[in-house]
Amino acid sequence: MSTYTRPPDQLRPVSFLLDYVMHPEGSVLISAGNTRVLCNASVIESLPPWLKYSKKRHGWVTAEYAMLPRSTAQRHEREMPSPKGRTQEIQRLIARSLRGAVDLDKLGERQIVVDCDVIQADGGTRTAAITGGYVALALAIKRLEKRGVVAAGVLTQSVAAVSVGLVEEQVFLDLDYELDLKADVDMNVVMTGDGRFVEVQGTAEGEPFQRQALDDMLALAETGIRHLLRLQDDALAEARI
């Protein structure tokens, strides 16, 4: 089906399948159109070495990201033994975004690692990883609260992300692979539940773009993210904690 059958201001269908994997403290399979990312949050009762021996110790949230070999049209080589530059950049983006939702002091001397594995890629994998990763992280933290391991208030707010772009002089929300290939400008936007930006990544693929185009893309991204935040809340409201 052609991407142009979807209105430019409409998100692809988004769903969250909670507790997709039985072992992690929080597990979510997020689907955004044909993009699917498995997000698993693991609670580790120790700090990373660089933080363990620092003067001011607090909890930590980090992330790892990978694309499975046949998540793409042609086989994607595994990144062994360590991730490449693009993957490292995405991991850091996901981790920064998720830390924006957490009071690290209240988390205590433990870390939560959110593994985001792309099962199927059709554009927007990093933004889906952030949006789904938050739900997995929230599940893990809510379960820590229920067990009395941490006090209430570790989660300070929600966070979600979406892509937006300029295609043939029209602003489109939530670019799939087909639209991303055609985009003259593509952007990833991460926002918190209280309306603040964590990150805005935007690039002109050819001609530079006008300030008005930037404003239009940010406005549409904000609308899309607010819808994603509501979907996150609905999914967590149904969770078995």
Side-chain angles (χ1 to χ4, degrees), residues 180-197:
D180 188 60
L181 283 179
K182 298 175 181 177
D184 299 310
V185 179
D186 62 80
M187 182 176 293
N188 296 304
V189 181
V190 187
M191 284 183 61
T192 58
D194 61 5
R196 291 180 294 163
F197 293 104

Side-chain angles (χ1 to χ4, degrees), residues 31-66:
S31 297
N34 289 323
T35 289
R36 292 176 177 78
V37 184
L38 176 60
C39 305
N40 290 321
S42 301
V43 177
I44 301 173
E45 294 295 334
S46 63
L47 294 174
W50 65 268
L51 183 56
K52 185 177 181 180
Y53 300 106
S54 66
K55 292 182 179 179
K56 186 179 184 304
R57 294 196 291 186
H58 51 71
W60 194 242
V61 174
T62 191
E64 294 191 6
Y65 168 94

Side-chain angles (χ1 to χ4, degrees), residues 28-167:
V28 174
L29 177 68
I30 178 173
S31 297
N34 289 323
T35 289
R36 292 176 177 78
V37 184
L38 176 60
C39 305
N40 290 321
S42 301
V43 177
I44 301 173
E45 294 295 334
S46 63
L47 294 174
W50 65 268
L51 183 56
K52 185 177 181 180
Y53 300 106
S54 66
K55 292 182 179 179
K56 186 179 184 304
R57 294 196 291 186
H58 51 71
W60 194 242
V61 174
T62 191
E64 294 191 6
Y65 168 94
M67 297 183 70
L68 298 186
R70 279 314 303 266
S71 62
T72 51
Q74 286 77 42
R75 185 179 185 276
H76 182 88
E77 293 290 336
R78 296 183 191 272
E79 297 186 23
M80 301 291 287
S82 60
K84 299 175 184 177
R86 176 182 178 275
T87 299
Q88 288 181 330
E89 173 201 343
I90 294 173
Q91 289 183 167
R92 290 167 180 162
L93 170 64
I94 298 168
R96 283 194 302 270
S97 301
L98 297 180
R99 285 196 292 271
V102 174
D103 185 327
L104 295 176
D105 289 323
K106 290 184 178 180
L107 182 58
E109 294 188 14
R110 60 181 53 83
Q111 60 179 313
I112 301 178
V113 180
V114 182
D115 291 293
C116 301
D117 292 294
V118 179
I119 295 175
Q120 185 166 279
D122 185 31
T125 60
R126 71 185 70 186
T127 53
I130 293 167
T131 303
Y134 167 76
V135 178
L137 175 68
L139 279 174
I141 291 174
K142 288 177 181 293
R143 285 164 176 162
L144 289 177
E145 290 176 352
K146 183 177 181 181
R147 289 164 44 203
V149 176
V150 300
V154 176
L155 277 175
T156 58
Q157 60 195 337
S158 52
V159 65
V162 75
S163 62
V164 66
L166 195 62
V167 182

